[in-house]
Amino acid sequence: MLSLRHSLATICIGLESVELGKNRHRCLATCAAKGPRPRYPRVWKTKQKIGTISKSLKLVECIKGLSNVKEEVYGALDSFVAWDLEFPLIVVKKALKSLEHEKEWKRIIQVTKWMLSKGQGRTMGSYYALLNALAEDGRIDEAEELWNTLFTEHIESMPRMFFERMITIYYQREMHEKMFEIFADMEELGIRPTMAIVTMMGDVFEKLDMLDKCKKLKKKYPPPKWEYRYIKGKRVKIWTKYGQNRSEVESKVNNPDMEDRGEPDENAEASSDNGDNAEVSSDNGDNAEVSNDNGDNLYLPETTYIPETD
């Protein structure tokens, strides 16, 4: 007859397996605090950053020895990313940074246009890098075309660095009328100019013997005393190289020709060693805008300061 009783060894093995299962589940619940977390297999949507530096260097070496023919460069780039399941955006961005460090402006233009043609990386940072590369390569017409397209599409959300870059391009080539147009657009949109823009516009007004407008410009945008920088993720208020007393600012505004051109003090040099081009925001009351007595200033309507948001 068949026996329905189990042996002692079988019962012990079953009990041990039950205890192991319970312990394993208890360990997962203790570690996760809410029970075992379900794991889903990653098919192809990944943001892998491991190995992107070496791959970006290979991409740079792949296109460095090529000619400037568009079809040849685009074919090499297409073959480089042919076996990737998704577009290697991180690799391309790091390659663009390497090319920018080496001042390979033609390659930056080619790689950026190829990336944008694929529908990838359509950010303001990519457009700014393309605009900068076009300007450095001497292709001013293409840079102006790109600027007009971006300004038309994003007229109310255009970053201030684009205005500063275009004014710098025109300032280096002494295209004063176009500088005035862009500065008038900034005033109309209520975008407060940086000290670099104010300095360039003031120099142009002095070259054109527009001393009254130069005086109004310096009166409306006095040099700030403080600026904010991010140090290890914290927002720190530090003294700038423009820091000075209010009486000195007013004396320079009233007498722009008698401007003190001496070296800044030691505190200003120590605080502005590694960030002279940082964007400056005005403090609560010391650097408030001074309204003009006469409201007949050209290119300089009254505006209010709108703080930027990240």
Side-chain angles (χ1 to χ4, degrees), residues 140 144 167 170 175-183:
I140 305 301
E144 287 182 347
I167 290 177
Y170 293 142
M175 304 170 71
H176 299 154
E177 292 296 329
K178 294 187 177 181
M179 285 181 63
F180 295 154
E181 292 177 3
I182 294 182
F183 190 75

Side-chain angles (χ1 to χ4, degrees), residues 19-30:
E19 290 179 359
L20 288 175
K22 288 183 179 180
N23 293 335
R24 182 177 60 182
H25 183 72
R26 189 182 299 113
C27 179
L28 285 174
T30 304

Side-chain angles (χ1 to χ4, degrees), residues 226-280:
W226 302 94
E227 69 178 0
Y228 295 92
R229 297 181 189 171
Y230 287 90
I231 301 176
K232 295 183 179 180
K234 295 182 180 180
R235 191 167 182 249
V236 181
K237 182 180 179 181
I238 62 175
W239 188 265
T240 64
K241 66 178 181 180
Y242 306 105
Q244 49 194 329
N245 296 329
R246 186 66 180 176
S247 59
E248 296 179 6
V249 175
E250 292 178 354
S251 63
K252 289 184 181 181
V253 168
N254 295 328
N255 300 314
D257 297 334
M258 302 295 293
E259 184 177 359
D260 184 13
R261 300 186 180 275
E263 296 182 356
D265 55 2
E266 296 178 358
N267 295 330
E269 291 180 356
S271 62
S272 61
D273 285 337
N274 53 2
D276 292 341
N277 297 325
E279 294 184 358
V280 180

Side-chain angles (χ1 to χ4, degrees), residues 33-71:
K34 290 186 179 179
R37 184 174 60 183
R39 301 280 184 176
Y40 298 102
R42 297 179 180 178
V43 183
W44 63 278
K45 278 286 184 181
T46 58
K47 299 294 181 182
Q48 187 176 4
K49 295 183 180 180
I50 301 174
T52 53
I53 296 178
S54 59
K55 194 172 181 180
S56 63
L57 294 177
K58 290 180 181 178
L59 176 59
V60 172
E61 294 175 358
C62 175
I63 62 176
K64 258 191 174 181
L66 301 178
S67 63
N68 291 327
V69 181
K70 176 181 176 181
E71 289 77 11

Side-chain angles (χ1 to χ4, degrees), residues 110-123:
Q110 293 168 349
V111 174
T112 306
K113 287 186 175 181
W114 168 78
M115 178 181 66
L116 295 175
S117 67
K118 299 293 183 181
Q120 302 290 334
R122 296 195 173 188
T123 60

Side-chain angles (χ1 to χ4, degrees), residues 35 45 86 171 181 186-187 193 293 303:
K45 278 286 184 181
E86 62 177 343
Y171 177 76
E181 292 177 3
M186 292 185 66
E187 292 285 321
D293 296 332
T303 59

Side-chain angles (χ1 to χ4, degrees), residues 48-298:
Q48 187 176 4
K49 295 183 180 180
I50 301 174
T52 53
I53 296 178
S54 59
K55 194 172 181 180
S56 63
L57 294 177
K58 290 180 181 178
L59 176 59
V60 172
E61 294 175 358
C62 175
I63 62 176
K64 258 191 174 181
L66 301 178
S67 63
N68 291 327
V69 181
K70 176 181 176 181
E71 289 77 11
E72 184 177 355
V73 176
Y74 280 29
L77 292 171
D78 290 336
S79 62
F80 186 83
V81 301
W83 296 101
D84 290 327
L85 295 176
E86 62 177 343
F87 189 83
L89 189 59
I90 300 174
V91 174
V92 176
K93 289 286 188 179
K94 290 183 178 180
L96 288 173
K97 284 293 182 182
S98 301
L99 292 172
E100 184 178 359
H101 181 70
E102 298 174 3
K103 296 184 179 181
E104 295 283 346
W105 306 117
K106 292 185 182 296
R107 296 303 183 197
I108 292 175
I109 295 170
Q110 293 168 349
V111 174
T112 306
K113 287 186 175 181
W114 168 78
M115 178 181 66
L116 295 175
S117 67
K118 299 293 183 181
Q120 302 290 334
R122 296 195 173 188
T123 60
M124 299 306 289
S126 300
Y127 288 122
Y128 182 79
L130 179 59
L131 180 67
N132 185 39
L134 289 171
E136 293 291 340
D137 197 35
R139 299 157 69 169
I140 305 301
D141 295 335
E142 295 185 29
E144 287 182 347
E145 184 179 357
L146 177 62
W147 159 257
N148 293 328
T149 303
L150 293 174
F151 186 69
T152 304
E153 294 179 356
H154 311 281
I155 187 171
E156 295 183 356
S157 60
M158 201 69 179
R160 185 169 56 178
M161 61 182 182
F162 281 85
F163 292 95
E164 183 176 353
R165 184 58 185 150
M166 290 304 298
I167 290 177
T168 305
I169 292 171
Y170 293 142
Y171 177 76
Q172 292 172 351
R173 291 161 178 81
E174 297 184 355
M175 304 170 71
H176 299 154
E177 292 296 329
K178 294 187 177 181
M179 285 181 63
F180 295 154
E181 292 177 3
I182 294 182
F183 190 75
D185 291 336
M186 292 185 66
E187 292 285 321
E188 190 174 345
L189 294 172
I191 301 175
R192 185 181 180 88
T194 60
M195 284 307 302
I197 297 176
V198 174
T199 304
M200 288 186 286
M201 295 300 298
D203 292 342
V204 171
F205 285 146
E206 289 179 358
K207 287 180 182 179
L208 300 177
D209 293 333
M210 300 180 179
L211 300 180
D212 54 342
K213 292 181 181 178
C214 181
K215 182 178 178 180
K216 290 178 182 179
L217 178 68
K218 292 183 178 181
K219 186 177 181 181
K220 188 172 184 179
Y221 301 109
K225 297 171 60 177
W226 302 94
E227 69 178 0
Y228 295 92
R229 297 181 189 171
Y230 287 90
I231 301 176
K232 295 183 179 180
K234 295 182 180 180
R235 191 167 182 249
V236 181
K237 182 180 179 181
I238 62 175
W239 188 265
T240 64
K241 66 178 181 180
Y242 306 105
Q244 49 194 329
N245 296 329
R246 186 66 180 176
S247 59
E248 296 179 6
V249 175
E250 292 178 354
S251 63
K252 289 184 181 181
V253 168
N254 295 328
N255 300 314
D257 297 334
M258 302 295 293
E259 184 177 359
D260 184 13
R261 300 186 180 275
E263 296 182 356
D265 55 2
E266 296 178 358
N267 295 330
E269 291 180 356
S271 62
S272 61
D273 285 337
N274 53 2
D276 292 341
N277 297 325
E279 294 184 358
V280 180
S281 60
S282 62
D283 53 1
N284 295 330
D286 295 335
N287 297 323
E289 295 182 4
V290 181
S291 60
N292 295 324
D293 296 332
N294 300 325
D296 54 350
N297 52 340
L298 187 60

